[in-house]
Structure formats: structure tokens, C-alpha cells
Amino acid sequence: MADREGNIDAKDFGLGIPQKNGEGFFLKGNAHAPWGMKDRLSRIFNPKSGHSVMLAFDHGFIMGPTSGLERMDLTIVPLIEYSDCIMCTRGALRSIVPPTCAKPISYRFDVGTSILTDLNDQTLQDIDEAIRLNVSMLACMVAIGDPVHEGRTVANMSKTVDMGNRYGIPTLGVTAVGKNLVRDARYLGLASRICAENGANVIKTYFCEEKFEQVTNACPVPIVIAGGKKLEEKAALDMAWRAIDQGASGVDMGRNIFQSDSPVGMILAVRAIVHDGASVEQAYEMYQTYKSENQK
Ligand code: R5P
């Protein structure tokens, strides 16, 4: 049996050394994926920057109409054009997302319990539905450390990978929210790595203040960060900058964009960091300028 404590003392993260065996494809850990999967990943991640700004608005599937998502037709649709990819449920897709938006979809593929009961009791949808909706990635969450739901959610992700592989659709392993989530490098590194080892092509996890570069370095596939609860705009931009600086391949951000007082200004500022190497100051100025020029 592997050493349960082994991860505590892990220290040889090869910081600064690019991952090997990635020749021929720009996205970490996906050089050996088949053509269709590479095509889908190249729509989600910009092959020039290697990064992605995903706009997440799937929160309603566990939270209901949370702030900023009460009327997604009014608040989210105007933001879609500024994203590289949208992360949402089938209900949102069918009801408010114009099919003409032509954005790749990171599709909430697992469904389950809400914030009112016990989070993370999940099951999977039918792959036929994902194919009908022409999705580019299947998102499935994994509740590492949850004594009740860990095994089931790992099995869900493994099945998602199997179904995605059958049709050339990559899997996004999402490290779950819930009482077991610990925002430190040990937990996030362990949860991300377990998703990758079970076949996820991309991982969504959280940023942590210390040693985040260990999380990205120990994960053989790209990591995108969720934004988490709403922060002051400059703090959210600072988090995005530090995540990219420490090896993240993008953001899958929701509340820090759609709950901002200038959602378009904020997503433009995030884009500048993720794709153009803007500093936090430059990006914040971009947000402020957009906000002041577009105040009602
Ligand atoms: C949560 O229900 C979803 O998985 C979100 O997509 C994720 O948490 C990212 O959104 P936020 O940036 O608001 O945390």
C-alpha cells in the first residue's frame, strides 16, 4: 500500500522545469490525445497563449438563483463574447445561451445534491445529451476527503473519462467544494493529482496563498482556477495574476466577474492577465477605465 503520509513530505516538484514528453501539442499532458480531443482543447485554450478564460455560471445547479445569476439572460449573455469558453448546465444552455454564440462549452456533466442538503452526492447524465449539445468538455466534480462521497465521485469521473474518450471529448476534473475542501497546497495538490491520475484532461481547482506552484507542477495536465467568492476587484486580479505566474493555464471564473460592478470591465482585465501578460496594475486600470466610461 502506498504511504498515506507520502504526500506530506513531497518536495521534488521540479519547479521551473517544463513537463517533458509534450512535443507536438501546446497543452500540457495532452500531446498523446487523439485528433478530436486536441481540436476541442484548442478551441477552449488559445494555442498562442496556451491559456483560457472560461466564464463559469453553473452555480445555479447547487445554489439556485445566486446573486448575479437571477436573470442570466440579462447578466451572462452580454459577457459570453468576451470569454474563451463557457461553463454551464444544460438548463442554462437550452434556455438562455444563444446557439449562435459559437463558444466552446465546458458542460456540467454531473448532477446531484444542493447547498440545502449534503453537497456532492452526484450522478452522471447521459453522454448522448452532451453530444447533442455539441459540448467541448465534460465537467465532473470529485469530492476528495469526503468520507461518504469520495469513492462515488471518483467513479463518476472515471466513467466520464471513459465516455469522453469514446467520443473525443475531454474531461474537466473539478475539485469539489464542501466541508472537506481545504485551501492549501497539500489538499489541492492531492485532489488535482487524483483527478489527473484518473484521466482528466484539465483540472479546475482553487488558488492557495502558499506553494500553489507545487500544485501546478505536481499535476501532469493543465490547471485552471475557480475564482471563489467575490473579492474586491484588485484582489481578484491579483489572485489571477499569481495563479498564472505559478503555472495555471487559465481561470474558470464566475462570481468575481458576474458579481463585479463592471462585469465586462472585469472580464477584459482578467483576459489581459491571462492572455497578454498584463500586470495587476495594468489590468486594474483597464477595469477602472471601462467602468468609468460605461457607467449608466
Ligand atoms: C460552482 O458551483 C461551480 O463549479 C463554479 O463553476 C466554480 O466554482 C467557479 O465559479 P466561481 O469563480 O464563482 O467560484
Side-chain angles (χ1 to χ4, degrees):
M1 187 178 143
D3 179 6
R4 289 171 71 102
E5 301 302 307
N7 205 34
I8 294 175
D9 297 317
K11 56 182 182 299
D12 194 4
F13 291 94
L15 301 184
I17 304 171
Q19 183 164 299
K20 297 191 187 305
N21 296 318
E23 296 76 15
F25 193 57
F26 71 98
L27 203 60
K28 183 181 180 183
N30 282 280
H32 307 299
W35 196 95
M37 208 171 265
K38 283 180 173 161
D39 174 69
R40 289 184 173 89
L41 289 166
S42 302
R43 295 173 195 278
I44 297 167
F45 291 88
N46 181 324
K48 288 202 182 97
S49 67
H51 292 163
S52 182
V53 174
M54 304 182 195
L55 176 65
F57 51 97
D58 58 325
H59 307 60
F61 93 114
I62 52 172
M63 294 181 186
T66 194
S67 172
L69 295 184
E70 301 90 336
R71 286 288 304 269
M72 294 187 288
D73 55 327
L74 303 178
T75 56
I76 295 301
V77 172
L79 295 174
I80 290 176
E81 66 178 288
Y82 303 101
S83 69
D84 297 310
C85 173
I86 54 175
M87 164 102 180
C88 62
T89 62
R90 65 171 159 183
L93 261 185
R94 287 221 163 106
S95 56
I96 63 107
V97 175
T100 50
C101 77
K103 291 288 178 185
I105 297 151
S106 177
Y107 183 61
R108 173 54 74 176
F109 190 55
D110 59 335
V111 293
T113 44
S114 77
I115 52 170
L116 294 184
T117 57
D118 184 19
L119 281 171
N120 302 327
D121 189 1
Q122 303 296 98
T123 189
L124 297 178
Q125 296 178 45
D126 189 337
I127 189 68
D128 292 359
E129 177 73 335
I131 294 167
R132 271 193 293 275
L133 292 166
N134 195 31
V135 310
S136 293
M137 189 154 66
L138 303 168
C140 178
M141 67 179 166
V142 175
I144 297 301
D146 183 321
V148 179
H149 304 305
E150 182 182 78
R152 170 76 173 271
T153 55
V154 171
N156 280 346
M157 209 202 68
S158 185
K159 282 184 205 148
T160 302
V161 170
D162 287 338
M163 286 191 267
N165 282 346
R166 202 176 301 149
Y167 299 103
I169 307 176
T171 292
L172 175 70
V174 178
T175 68
V177 293
K179 54 182 179 291
N180 301 291
L181 169 65
V182 186
R183 288 173 201 253
D184 66 19
R186 181 171 181 253
Y187 176 81
L188 299 175
L190 182 115
S192 298
R193 179 64 172 264
I194 289 171
C195 290
E197 296 274 354
N198 282 291
N201 302 84
V202 181
I203 310 298
K204 172 161 101 162
T205 194
Y206 289 89
F207 180 71
C208 55
E209 290 297 319
E210 290 180 17
K211 301 179 182 171
F212 182 69
E213 72 276 17
Q214 294 185 358
V215 180
T216 57
N217 271 264
C219 184
V221 295
I223 285 186
V224 293
I225 62 153
K229 67 181 179 195
K230 172 76 173 67
L231 305 170
E232 193 277 321
E233 276 74 5
K234 196 167 188 180
L237 293 171
D238 182 62
M239 177 175 67
W241 189 92
R242 285 188 291 151
I244 297 294
D245 183 56
Q246 293 179 51
S249 297
V251 300
D252 191 354
M253 195 175 262
R255 286 163 288 180
N256 277 289
I257 292 173
F258 63 70
Q259 291 179 351
S260 169
D261 56 7
S262 176
V264 174
M266 193 59 185
I267 196 169
L268 288 173
V270 171
R271 289 193 71 80
I273 288 172
V274 169
H275 287 303
D276 306 327
S279 66
V280 176
E281 290 301 335
Q282 288 168 330
Y284 187 60
E285 194 179 325
M286 187 178 282
Y287 149 77
Q288 284 184 308
T289 304
Y290 187 92
K291 182 179 151 184
S292 65
E293 289 176 356
N294 292 276
Q295 262 164 353
K296 289 177 191 158

